[in-house]
Amino acid sequence: MALSQARCLRKRFPAVLGRYIQARFASEELKVKPFLCKEDGDYFEPIMRTQHPGPVSQETMANLIKLQGESFRGTLKIFADFDKSQGNFLADADGNVYLDVFQQIASLPLGYNHSAVIEAASLPSFTTMVVNRSALGVSPPKAHMSNIEESILKVAPAGLDHAQTMACGSCALENAFKAAFIRYRALQRGTPDPSLLELETCMKHQLPGTPNLCILSFTSGFHGRTLGALSATHSKALHKVDIPAFDWPVTQFPRLKYPLEDHVEENEQEEAFCLEQVEKIIKKQNASGKCVAGIVVEPVQSEGGDNHASPSFFRQLQAICNKYDAAFIVDEVQTGVGASGKFWAHEHWDLPEPPSIVTFAKKMLVGGYYFKDDFLTQHSFRIFNTWLGDPARVYLLKTVLATIKKDNLLQNTREAGAVLLDNIKKLQNAYPGLLSNARGIGTLCAVDLPNTEIRNKIVSMLWNNGLSIHGSGDTALRFRPALIYTSGHADLTRDIIDDVLNKYKSDGAVSSF
């Protein structure tokens, strides 16, 4: 690292001024060891001791692939050393340290080894919950209700007074779909109580007990890999091939043109067309007797390519749901918990009323969904499994939420996201043959590369230059940092990407597409 880079670090991270930067250049020993900034516990910069992945990670990957199969060959990146990871930086088994703008698939709200979370996890009450994991539907711990009130209910979307915990995002969606079906059938028959005939026929998968209901979803949407959620997932063919699916309808999600301000009329027409298709499909399905009980949508289609739509689109989509008594299910598994600059991304839409159901997981530490009164089930065991989530994670969520409030991390994310997106746009201007369609809200940012091959090559080069990052869809480069990511980290991210793109271009690779 050159002395000029140290001066840049002073600008990016003013909290690390003084003897810590000086010590880095005064000692050869410090130059080759991970160096922590004393004030915020974060590393200054990536540290790459080997190629990515290093020999230790490669050997361990080979053993894991032998155990679990080839499907992991394309997904494994490193074996992490979480003891040495800190804040926005991820260490691996080979001694490399990466600036992590992906954060365990967008699931770490406060980065690695945050002191407040470590302190909460060290208390005896947490240990007791971990050791004695309870079946929450049968015998939850005595403090569980108060823990929910101080965590999950504290951040409930306005107007949604009920919450159901689950273990992960996929099972949150599965049970949200079930709740939508149960509610729709209650509306159809005028009572929540099934008839004797329905109870008999459902055991044979026959009408009327097994009804012809469906969930309408969107192209490029991702809602999980379990069977029901997979039937509503349309992001990658390999997720779905060979797996039986429910015969549920899918419709086009808007494909907006960027920059948005230059394509207002075209984008409005695109969204209007997509909304027309939604209504046509619902009419057709309902007329055929395969009624649409709900529509599921992500605020930003994350796995499917970071696709956005306008607030107006989502308001009109909700109106269509209301018109046909379909549940308006907003999947906030990846977009929730502050990443958009608001706690829930759908808060940007200015909806006239709350969504029917909002699912959560990832940065919430536990899966689940919020819901309106009319989605309350009236019978035992209808929404049920052994654990129904994890009381220990609910307990830790209290600390996460308190830290978000105390450290004003929503404002931090808005500021960091603005710098990150501005930096991506500047890179797009500097590399017009490589980058396009810079877009984002908060730190939920992305930019496109010309094709999948080039995108994957750039991702590999970025990892080798100390940036932990992943793609989404066919061509997008996706950013999903923690809420503690700052404008300084956004500048460091820009510099790493700039170095990689410059090398890619200078090597002549840019002429190959």
Side-chain angles (χ1 to χ4, degrees), residues 80-265:
D81 186 341
F82 289 117
D83 289 331
K84 293 179 181 176
S85 301
Q86 189 67 44
N88 290 285
F89 289 83
L90 170 65
D92 72 10
D94 291 279
N96 300 309
V97 178
Y98 308 83
L99 173 61
D100 189 356
V101 296
F102 195 59
Q103 292 284 324
Q104 306 300 313
I105 319 182
S107 66
L108 295 183
L110 304 180
Y112 298 98
N113 290 315
H114 194 284
S115 58
V117 180
I118 296 260
E119 182 179 355
S122 68
L123 297 176
S125 51
F126 177 78
T127 304
T128 299
M129 279 186 283
V130 171
V131 170
N132 304 288
R133 185 173 183 179
S134 59
L136 291 179
V138 178
S139 52
K142 63 181 182 180
H144 187 55
M145 189 59 220
S146 63
N147 287 339
I148 287 179
E149 289 173 341
E150 294 173 30
S151 60
I152 290 172
L153 294 184
K154 255 191 173 178
V155 292
L160 299 185
D161 299 324
H162 307 285
Q164 176 62 63
T165 55
M166 287 289 164
C168 67
S170 292
C171 53
L173 266 299
E174 291 280 350
N175 286 280
F177 294 166
K178 285 171 59 179
F181 293 140
I182 292 167
R183 175 254 188 188
Y184 197 86
R185 283 297 293 139
L187 287 175
Q188 285 183 321
R189 63 174 167 249
T191 174
D193 298 318
S195 67
L196 288 176
L197 178 61
E198 287 172 321
L199 292 173
E200 283 181 15
T201 53
C202 77
M203 301 302 287
K204 305 172 186 176
H205 301 167
Q206 297 174 353
L207 291 170
T210 302
N212 285 324
L213 299 179
C214 64
I215 298 293
L216 176 60
S217 54
F218 289 92
T219 55
S220 299
F222 180 89
H223 304 288
R225 292 180 174 87
T226 49
L227 285 174
L230 193 60
S231 292
T233 288
H234 310 281
S235 52
K236 285 186 175 65
L238 272 176
H239 293 167
K240 296 174 68 71
V241 68
D242 296 333
I243 311 299
F246 294 112
D247 186 18
W248 292 351
V250 56
T251 189
Q252 178 65 42
F253 191 80
R255 292 292 182 177
L256 303 187
K257 293 184 177 180
Y258 295 87
L260 296 176
E261 59 272 17
D262 293 343
H263 302 280
V264 174
E265 186 175 345

Side-chain angles (χ1 to χ4, degrees), residues 387-451:
W387 284 322
L388 288 173
D390 185 346
R393 297 294 168 178
V394 174
Y395 177 84
L396 286 183
L397 181 59
K398 293 193 300 179
T399 297
V400 168
L401 298 179
T403 303
I404 291 172
K405 182 177 181 180
K406 177 177 71 71
D407 293 346
N408 201 15
L409 293 183
L410 295 187
Q411 178 62 27
N412 176 75
T413 296
R414 288 190 287 271
E415 293 171 358
V419 174
L420 177 61
L421 184 56
D422 184 60
N423 284 344
I424 295 170
K425 289 178 177 178
K426 288 176 179 176
L427 288 167
Q428 178 177 278
N429 292 335
Y431 299 94
L434 280 172
L435 301 182
S436 62
N437 299 328
R439 56 202 182 272
I441 181 170
T443 54
L444 296 168
C445 294
V447 67
D448 288 334
L449 285 115
N451 55 51

Side-chain angles (χ1 to χ4, degrees), residues 61-74:
M61 284 177 190
N63 291 332
L64 187 61
I65 288 168
K66 286 180 183 177
L67 176 68
Q68 296 185 336
E70 286 293 321
S71 63
F72 287 93
R73 187 177 297 281

Side-chain angles (χ1 to χ4, degrees), residues 151-152 154-157 332 335-348 360 363-364 370 397 400-401 404-405 410 414 483:
S151 60
I152 290 172
K154 255 191 173 178
V155 292
E332 290 253 30
T335 59
V337 196
S340 71
K342 292 182 181 288
F343 200 89
W344 300 108
H346 76 266
E347 292 175 351
H348 291 278
F360 59 83
K363 286 185 175 69
M364 281 286 277
Y370 298 100
L397 181 59
V400 168
L401 298 179
I404 291 172
K405 182 177 181 180
L410 295 187
R414 288 190 287 271
L483 303 179

